[in-house]
Amino acid sequence: METMEKTFSIRAWSKAELALFYHPHLDTRRALRILNRWIRHNPLLLEALRREGAGITTRVYSPRQMEVIVRFLGEP
């Protein structure tokens, strides 16, 4: 059986999709909680996202917002 490896790229991502990419072993709800916690507890990241028009309640991140996230958290 072949397994398809998911690849990461800078594009628009839903928050749920991104959370699961960082935490593929968790269910969506738990992965989202962890991602939100990472964002809330990193004031520099949160401020950078706010400057790009995103916040803790954002559901879809633009490519530009994704660049900010990767800069602070690294690639999933």
Side-chain angles (χ1 to χ4, degrees), residues 11 16 62:
R11 60 173 175 80
S62 72

Side-chain angles (χ1 to χ4, degrees), residues 23-49:
H23 304 286
H25 58 286
L26 299 177
D27 63 272
T28 303
R29 189 173 177 186
R30 187 169 175 123
L32 278 166
R33 280 191 207 144
I34 292 170
L35 180 60
N36 282 330
R37 187 177 333 132
W38 287 357
I39 294 169
R40 273 195 322 272
H41 290 247
N42 188 329
L44 295 176
L45 170 57
L46 186 54
E47 180 57 34
L49 284 173

Side-chain angles (χ1 to χ4, degrees), residues 18 22 35 38-39 42 45 68-76:
L18 178 63
Y22 276 109
L35 180 60
W38 287 357
I39 294 169
N42 188 329
L45 170 57
V68 170
I69 291 168
V70 169
R71 188 170 68 236
F72 282 89
L73 299 181
E75 285 190 15

